[in-house]
Amino acid sequence: MALKLGDKIPNFTSKDSLGDDFDSASVVGKKPVIFYFYPKDNTPGCTAQACSFRDQYEDFKHLGAEVIGISSDSVASHEKFAKQYHLPFKLLSDNDKKIRTLFGVKPNLFGLIPGRVTYVADKEGIIRLVFDSLVATSHIPKALEMIKKLVS
């Protein structure tokens, strides 16, 4: 069952692009957070999305929010992707698709491509925006607009 507006972000753990353990409890309920699920490292749309989040990252940080990308790529793939594009935020490896399943992110295009969905949660960990669109770069302005509303 997919997470929706008003739901609390569930607890989960993963490995980040440095191979370090990540626990969602380290950010959820402490600050606004953006979790964005994307299909695959080093593909045109996903690279554009990651670089757009990178280019706006200081705006998110200035508002006290954290950005975290999630895909089923390996830690090694994430490490290379993050270094190549100078990504300042965490990328989580969901190679067993447990996090994607926990959030209820459905595949797109007849199940051929993993879904591209962005979740914005307030500092209590409550989901305030669920944005599902294949248009990769459309996620960043939507997430930033919601974060601005949450902190104003």
Side-chain angles (χ1 to χ4, degrees):
M1 182 147 161
L3 293 178
K4 58 193 179 311
L5 293 180
D7 287 348
K8 186 165 175 55
I9 297 285
N11 290 333
F12 63 89
T13 58
S14 182
K15 294 275 187 194
D16 68 18
S17 55
L18 300 175
D20 294 330
D21 291 325
F22 172 83
D23 186 335
S24 62
S26 67
V27 290
V28 174
K30 293 179 171 44
K31 60 170 89 175
V33 62
I34 298 96
F35 289 105
Y36 81 94
F37 288 84
Y38 64 100
K40 189 155 182 51
D41 291 344
N42 292 302
T43 56
C46 297
T47 300
Q49 184 178 26
C51 290
S52 293
F53 269 118
R54 176 201 64 204
D55 295 346
Q56 299 274 211
Y57 186 67
E58 286 305 314
D59 294 330
F60 286 106
K61 290 297 283 185
H62 178 73
L63 295 166
E66 190 53 68
V67 175
I68 298 172
I70 303 171
S71 80
S72 60
D73 293 295
S74 68
V75 168
S77 175
H78 280 340
E79 180 181 21
K80 184 178 175 192
F81 186 53
K83 279 184 180 170
Q84 182 176 357
Y85 294 102
H86 309 287
L87 303 179
F89 48 85
K90 291 185 185 300
L91 297 178
L92 302 181
S93 177
D94 185 31
N95 55 359
D96 56 8
K97 298 180 180 53
K98 283 185 179 174
I99 305 169
R100 188 172 287 277
T101 301
L102 187 63
F103 278 70
V105 177
K106 302 280 186 243
N108 289 319
L109 295 180
F110 311 107
L112 299 175
I113 299 173
R116 182 185 306 280
V117 182
T118 296
Y119 296 84
V120 177
D122 62 21
K123 66 180 181 180
E124 284 78 39
I126 305 301
I127 298 171
R128 299 301 177 192
L129 174 72
V130 178
F131 187 69
D132 184 348
S133 173
L134 285 175
V135 182
T137 55
S138 65
H139 290 249
I140 294 80
K142 291 281 189 189
L144 189 56
E145 179 185 339
M146 179 52 68
I147 291 295
K148 286 178 180 176
K149 284 180 186 173
L150 291 175
V151 301
S152 63

